[in-house]
Amino acid sequence: MSRYNAKEVEAKWQAAWEQEKCFEAEADSSKPKYYVLEMFPYPSGRIHIGHVRNYTMGDVVARYKKAQGFNVLHPMGWDAFGLPAENAARDQGVHPAEWTYANIAHMRDELKSMGLSLDWSKEIATCHPGYYGQQQKLFLDFLEKGLVYRKESWVNWDPVDMTVLANEQVIDGKGWRSGAVVEKRKLNQWMFRISDYSQDLLESLENLDRWPDRVRLMQQNWIGKSQGAHVSFDIVGETEPLEIYTTRPDTLFGASFMAVSADHPLAQRLAKESNQIADFIAECHQMGTSEEVIEKAEKRGVDTGLEVMHPFIEGKKLPIYVANFVLMEYGTGAIFGCPAHDQRDLDFARKYGLEVTPVVASGPDENPEIGNEAYTGPGKIINSDFLNGLEIESAKTEIIGRLEELGKGSATVNYRLRDWGLSRQRYWGCPIPVVHCEACGVVAEKEENLPVKLPEDVTFDKPGSPLEHHPSWKHVPCPSCGKEAVRDTDTMDTFVDSSWYFARFCSPRAEQPVEREKVDYWLPVDQYIGGIEHAILHLLYSRFYSRAMKETGWSHIDEPFDGLFTQGMVTHETYRSESGEWLLPEEVTSNDNGDLIELANGRPVKVGGIEKMSKSKKNVVDPGAIIDKFGADAARWYVLSDSPPDRDMEWTDAGATGAWRFKQRLHRFVVETVEKTGQTESVEPSEFSEAALKLRKVAHKTVASVTRNIEDLHFNNAIARIYEFMKALNEFDISNLADDEKWALTESMEIIVRLVGPMMPHLAEELWQMLGKEELLALSAWPAARPDLIVEDQITMAVQVKGKLRATIDVAKDEQQDRVEEIALAQKSVQNAIGENAIRKIIVVPNRIVNVVI
RNA sequence: GCGGGUGUGGCGGAAUUGGUAGACGCGCUGGUUUUAGGUACCAGUUUCUUAUGAAGUGGGGGUUCGAUUCCCUCCACCCGCACCA
């Protein structure tokens, strides 16, 4: 028998699918649609195993849904703008466009070698003017609707490179290339009004019942709705009060200081008169813009010398500090500090010797000690005049009422979600299609001038943005008055590109952002698959974009992704040489003793932890090499089989080998069986032998469970069931087959090939042909499980005594309860375990378990 | 720091969601066949144990007739934190 040659077979079927245009989808309102989408990749140059895992999962769903009779849209594109292309331009002198398109070409080939059921006719790249021009059109529509506005906001500024840095480019407060201490700077930037949608984005999460709970929870917390209060404090000797936001107005009597952000107008004003404050603010501005850095930093502040009057405690004054842990972006940028009941405030108070007054008591103790831990739990209010004895919630209501009477505060709903700043001072992104005119101000580019294309002749040798430096690009006439004006030289955040690509796929070549009939048919995406790292920003921004596109008439939906699945990462062991250098897995082999050694020189290798694959630790495997070695089917099978799809999986060569072996085994089995048994009658026999019936039962049960497992995206379980089925097939004696047994065997072979189809499509297609099928497997229907073959009439029940397993009994399905008890008690091992003890009661869970309680 | 998650044999994991823990795969051990260079098949494989049992799902505690599953607490690792994508 000739060996299965994966390379030839895989290429053959890929060509066949392409020739038949199997996966090209057209909107067709007579058929039910199913839109499967995996998060599109950034064209970094090569696909990695994470991509293989992600796209294989999507492909299984796409092929399965197609077999179920759906009109399936399964497109692919490229998230092609972004920083790495500019870094490559700087480091290697290659133009971002050239670098990007070369990467796309290579990655497209790699993806094609995986045999994915993608509609390549709908391919898009966000860096193509055909895409970003339409994005500019959307932007102008949003602008007209008031969904975009300009505002000053903070950026990380590298004073040596004279450029804005991304958070990841700031390392320990310093620029990654220059090493210069990074400053916060204010720039005029475009913002999307996503915060106007806070309530809607929050409420609608409830209906996203095909999203993972944890993602919904993370979004809920990110939006961060809080019920609190605004409180005005009179500043001693000033006319303007200090306005704060708090979620704990009930702790107002425990206030011992006020704190404002370094960016608060009050701090800014005082800095002009006080060097100490100015210096402190300058220090705060060296902290970077990320919330993580701010929260982790030591709580510090400087006393302004100003004081406020406590609104309820006669004569009590509280000092105002400028503090590094107060965020200008949240609430009003000012707080009152209640150290006893907030950890940050407590750390701060201990550092500056401020008073700590407990106002919530957890127990009967009327004056609990506060050590170095703030008390944030429930309790009764103490030390708080008219609030004493109240529970926290009623105290909140009470004090807000009193504040309102005094005109010094009111109940307020606050959201943590901030507007989305989209301006980037970079070249490789979508130009913002507006012009700044001295006479007319900010003017939208005329629609007929779209796309505003990126200039190609740019250099990256100067610090700052190439668009800013370009000799002519930015100089254009004002679209309104025609006088000399300048383009906005900023480009859009790449999150904008990925916030509507799923809609563009419906009509990828349209001369407008989308064609309504197409998006009306295809959207929303029925199953979206991608990494958990996008749980918040990308998904939230896309949800906002859908709403904004609805408001501007481009779509009918609020929620873009009906079903969401977040897959885990792929990890690998790490290896180091004797001298401590990281080694690639392919540089490592094992010797006769099973110890790992370096392939090059035979020296021992130190094995490190299992970590997320990363270039820096070299624990990466190249999918191209894997596919070359094992074939695409084996690679696909392995990434599906090994771990639950939402969890991290560890890549091991042994695992891939196991997948390869199964592929060979299945191939050999079908080939040999067909050789021995030949063709079968197509008419189903009326009677089956016991062995044939047994096989059929396994086959149909497998259909039922694999179908359910794929619906639930539990691919690893589907594969385990297929392995069990394979075992049953192996046990089936194929010598001297009667006609009915032959028929049952053929049925089972067809079923296993069909079930394997979405996962190992090339092998399955090959075997399908071998079974005499004319139609492509890719176009044929999913098998149905016969209900009469999947029910069992005998059930094995467990018998426990005091919760410990003592016996199992075989009984008829749905056997009478007292009969079950009788059989259970008749077991010798059960009697032994009961011994002299009296039986207190017997619990019988039908068809499951008997528990004798003594 | 804040928010979210994960933890089960030597390894990846399963457990119909409160009902026989370890399905299935890998690895390993023994055997059969001899494939001579990722071979196939059969048997075994949680740990301890006086072979009767006992313990066991990251540690500790709790609820329950019964807990991998629910609650509390601690530990370890992972993801996100608004300019990486």
Side-chain angles (χ1 to χ4, degrees):
Chain A
M1 183 186 84
S2 65
R3 251 195 164 188
Y4 179 73
N5 183 331
K7 226 178 227 169
E8 274 174 29
V9 172
E10 290 180 354
K12 177 174 83 182
W13 292 112
Q14 283 165 20
W17 297 326
E18 196 175 331
Q19 199 186 337
E20 294 295 314
K21 297 191 193 312
C22 289
F23 310 122
E24 290 188 16
E26 283 313 318
D28 177 352
S29 53
S30 69
K31 283 194 235 162
K33 65 95 183 181
Y34 202 90
Y35 186 175
V36 186
L37 185 67
E38 302 96 48
M39 291 180 184
F40 66 163
Y42 179 78
S44 57
R46 303 183 157 268
I47 61 169
H48 53 73
I49 294 288
H51 290 129
V52 173
R53 198 176 184 209
N54 190 193
Y55 299 131
T56 300
M57 289 178 194
D59 200 45
V60 172
V61 175
R63 286 176 179 270
Y64 164 75
K65 286 289 174 183
K66 192 174 177 65
Q68 289 276 31
F70 287 92
N71 186 22
V72 171
L73 175 62
H74 187 208
M76 181 53 71
W78 309 97
D79 191 10
F81 275 137
L83 273 178
E86 286 191 50
N87 293 334
R90 270 192 65 145
D91 297 342
Q92 304 159 31
V94 52
H95 191 280
E98 192 188 319
W99 184 85
T100 303
Y101 282 111
N103 285 349
I104 287 175
H106 187 252
M107 287 175 75
R108 188 192 298 115
D109 285 347
E110 288 187 306
L111 286 182
K112 284 193 169 175
S113 75
M114 283 178 63
L116 302 167
S117 64
L118 291 167
D119 180 353
W120 283 103
S121 74
K122 296 193 169 56
E123 180 182 359
I124 55 179
T126 57
C127 65
H128 192 280
Y131 184 84
Y132 72 71
Q134 300 306 328
Q135 184 163 305
Q136 290 169 342
K137 165 75 182 133
L138 279 180
F139 179 88
L140 293 181
D141 285 0
F142 289 6
L143 185 60
E144 208 182 317
K145 273 269 173 190
L147 294 162
V148 204
Y149 67 101
R150 268 161 77 78
K151 186 191 154 187
E152 290 220 304
S153 65
W154 293 99
V155 294
N156 297 308
W157 180 256
D158 185 321
V160 171
D161 278 351
M162 306 281 280
T163 185
V164 175
L165 298 177
N167 281 335
E168 71 153 16
Q169 296 174 323
V170 181
I171 296 152
D172 296 329
K174 300 194 175 93
W176 66 337
R177 287 187 203 273
S178 69
V181 174
V182 171
E183 299 165 7
K184 271 193 346 185
R185 258 208 193 184
K186 244 184 186 173
L187 291 182
N188 227 328
Q189 314 234 54
W190 288 99
M191 314 287 287
F192 285 121
R193 288 194 195 277
I194 187 172
S195 67
D196 283 6
Y197 293 79
S198 298
Q199 185 60 26
D200 181 14
L201 289 167
L202 180 67
E203 278 172 2
S204 305
L205 285 172
E206 261 179 62
N207 306 322
L208 295 174
D209 50 9
R210 289 185 54 231
W211 280 39
D213 286 341
R214 59 170 159 156
V215 174
R216 292 195 282 176
L217 195 56
M218 283 159 87
Q219 293 219 349
Q220 183 185 315
N221 290 332
W222 185 263
I223 294 167
K225 181 177 184 172
S226 62
Q227 309 272 357
H230 276 134
V231 185
S232 292
F233 287 83
D234 293 328
I235 303 175
V236 178
E238 303 246 342
T239 47
E240 283 292 304
L242 181 61
E243 179 102 353
I244 63 103
Y245 174 77
T246 177
T247 56
R248 292 296 302 274
D250 54 300
T251 64
L252 189 54
F253 284 90
S256 64
F257 67 95
M258 309 298 291
V260 300
S261 162
D263 304 322
H264 194 277
L266 182 67
Q268 296 291 313
R269 197 193 83 201
L270 294 171
K272 288 179 192 143
E273 296 144 27
S274 157
N275 287 336
Q276 204 197 352
I277 293 173
D279 289 350
F280 182 73
I281 291 173
E283 246 178 87
C284 290
H285 284 172
Q286 285 182 4
M287 248 196 327
T289 56
S290 91
E291 195 168 300
E292 185 186 0
V293 169
I294 293 164
E295 292 269 344
K296 271 187 186 162
E298 190 195 356
K299 310 289 170 273
R300 292 172 54 237
V302 55
D303 193 343
T304 60
L306 288 178
E307 288 178 314
V308 300
M309 299 303 299
H310 192 287
F312 294 111
I313 305 174
E314 192 64 41
K316 173 136 185 164
K317 292 175 186 169
L318 306 170
I320 304 177
Y321 281 77
V322 179
N324 64 356
F325 63 95
V326 181
L327 303 171
M328 193 58 220
E329 292 84 7
Y330 185 78
T332 62
I335 60 155
F336 75 77
C338 175
H341 306 291
D342 182 289
Q343 194 58 46
R344 289 168 304 185
D345 296 351
L346 183 63
D347 294 344
F348 192 82
R350 293 289 184 223
K351 189 171 173 75
Y352 295 101
L354 298 160
E355 106 195 5
V356 178
T357 312
V359 289
V360 180
S362 56
D365 186 355
E366 285 291 292
N367 229 342
E369 274 290 308
I370 300 290
N372 284 317
E373 219 165 291
Y375 179 71
T376 54
K380 284 208 161 58
I381 304 294
I382 51 169
N383 296 327
S384 299
D385 193 4
F386 55 84
L387 295 179
N388 284 340
L390 294 176
E391 295 290 334
I392 289 173
E393 282 313 308
S394 34
K396 284 181 181 173
T397 315
E398 175 65 25
I399 197 158
I400 289 169
R402 299 271 188 141
L403 285 165
E404 278 170 350
E405 279 170 30
L406 291 174
K408 292 206 178 298
S410 57
T412 317
V413 172
N414 190 56
Y415 297 91
R416 207 183 76 97
L417 180 64
R418 308 200 296 258
D419 277 338
W420 169 16
L422 68 117
S423 299
R424 297 291 181 270
Q425 296 68 42
R426 312 196 191 290
Y427 168 74
W428 196 233
C430 172
I432 295 173
V434 297
V435 173
H436 300 270
C437 171
E438 257 181 44
C440 314
V442 177
V443 185
E445 184 54 270
K446 287 185 190 154
E447 213 182 307
E448 63 261 32
N449 292 340
L450 297 186
V452 175
K453 283 191 190 168
L454 288 168
E456 283 166 25
D457 51 334
V458 283
T459 52
F460 293 86
D461 47 5
K462 271 188 270 181
S465 164
L467 293 181
E468 191 67 44
H469 300 319
H470 193 278
S472 58
W473 184 79
K474 68 176 173 183
H475 300 288
V476 288
C478 169
S480 172
C481 69
K483 290 205 195 98
E484 247 181 59
V486 287
R487 285 197 187 289
D488 201 312
T489 55
D490 286 350
T491 52
M492 296 186 202
D493 179 8
T494 54
F495 272 125
V496 180
D497 311 338
S498 56
S499 289
W500 71 287
Y501 77 108
F502 47 87
R504 181 70 183 167
F505 272 136
C506 303
S507 49
R509 311 285 172 254
E511 299 278 313
Q512 51 189 350
V514 294
E515 282 168 28
R516 269 309 293 264
E517 329 80 82
K518 298 286 173 61
V519 296
D520 285 354
Y521 177 73
W522 288 115
L523 290 184
V525 174
D526 295 280
Q527 185 64 61
Y528 195 35
I529 306 177
I532 185 71
E533 65 273 22
H534 295 292
I536 298 175
L537 292 180
H538 162 60
L539 292 169
L540 198 59
Y541 290 159
S542 298
R543 295 180 64 215
F544 161 73
Y545 238 75
S546 287
R547 285 162 171 77
M549 285 176 75
K550 187 179 172 188
E551 277 197 32
T552 47
W554 291 111
S555 148
H556 64 296
I557 53 157
D558 286 322
E559 291 297 339
F561 311 120
D562 191 45
L564 172 71
F565 187 82
T566 52
Q567 106 266 7
M569 296 177 309
V570 182
T571 61
H572 198 285
E573 268 183 333
T574 51
Y575 306 110
R576 281 180 195 249
S577 68
E578 272 181 318
S579 50
E581 278 135 36
W582 298 106
L583 295 170
L584 289 164
E586 66 223 43
E587 294 172 320
V588 175
T589 187
S590 55
N591 64 14
D592 297 339
N593 302 327
D595 300 322
L596 291 180
I597 53 165
E598 266 190 77
L599 198 59
N601 51 29
R603 294 220 181 87
V605 166
K606 283 179 276 187
V607 180
I610 293 157
E611 298 188 47
K612 175 181 177 170
M613 288 193 182
S614 73
K615 277 185 194 152
S616 61
K617 289 179 182 163
K618 289 198 174 178
N619 59 336
V620 288
V621 289
D622 172 24
I626 300 290
I627 290 170
D628 212 43
K629 193 171 166 193
F630 299 101
D633 282 335
R636 294 168 57 119
W637 186 256
Y638 174 50
V639 293
L640 293 169
S641 69
D642 214 49
S643 294
D646 55 346
R647 235 183 287 163
D648 291 354
M649 76 165 282
E650 189 201 342
W651 181 273
T652 62
D653 242 36
T657 307
W660 181 86
R661 268 207 290 262
F662 177 74
K663 185 175 75 173
Q664 297 297 334
R665 193 179 311 155
L666 180 60
H667 179 254
R668 194 177 53 239
F669 177 79
V670 174
V671 171
E672 285 179 6
T673 308
V674 169
E675 267 173 20
K676 279 183 194 158
T677 62
Q679 296 291 324
T680 12
E681 292 291 320
S682 56
V683 183
E684 181 177 343
S686 51
E687 295 276 317
F688 286 95
S689 72
E690 203 179 310
L693 190 65
K694 197 175 148 201
L695 182 65
R696 293 196 75 202
K697 280 191 169 185
V698 176
H700 285 265
K701 276 186 191 166
T702 307
V703 170
S705 36
V706 169
T707 303
R708 196 184 59 234
N709 288 150
I710 294 181
E711 288 281 351
D712 296 342
L713 309 178
H714 292 161
F715 309 112
N716 56 325
N717 294 353
I719 284 180
R721 299 289 85 75
I722 291 171
Y723 273 120
E724 282 170 350
F725 185 20
M726 187 72 221
K727 220 172 175 180
L729 277 166
N730 275 325
E731 282 164 12
F732 191 72
D733 184 1
I734 62 167
S735 53
N736 304 318
L737 287 179
D739 281 352
D740 64 305
E741 291 171 327
K742 219 161 144 185
W743 193 93
L745 181 62
T746 304
E747 180 194 34
S748 280
M749 280 197 297
E750 287 181 14
I751 285 175
I752 199 168
V753 168
R754 180 66 270 199
L755 295 183
V756 159
M759 306 173 203
M760 297 204 282
H762 311 90
L763 171 71
E765 200 72 78
E766 181 78 3
L767 297 178
W768 193 244
Q769 190 185 43
M770 239 171 244
L771 289 168
K773 303 290 178 186
E774 308 265 315
E775 191 188 33
L776 283 171
L777 182 76
L779 300 172
S780 59
W782 194 250
R786 287 196 24 182
D788 58 316
L789 289 173
I790 59 177
V791 286
E792 279 300 345
D793 37 13
Q794 281 291 110
I795 302 272
T796 304
M797 288 180 75
V799 183
Q800 299 180 334
V801 177
K802 252 172 73 184
K804 287 214 170 85
L805 181 73
R806 295 298 169 182
T808 58
I809 53 174
D810 289 328
V811 296
K813 188 170 191 284
D814 301 323
E815 178 65 272
Q816 295 277 322
Q817 190 155 324
D818 41 0
R819 176 79 189 121
V820 171
E821 282 182 24
E822 199 181 309
I823 300 169
L825 290 175
Q827 304 299 309
K828 205 173 156 213
S829 54
V830 174
Q831 281 304 322
N832 284 346
I834 295 169
E836 300 294 301
N837 299 291
I839 296 172
R840 287 205 287 161
K841 67 175 161 179
I842 301 177
I843 291 157
V844 179
V845 181
N847 301 325
R848 291 240 171 109
I849 203 168
V850 180
N851 192 6
V852 182
V853 187
I854 56 172

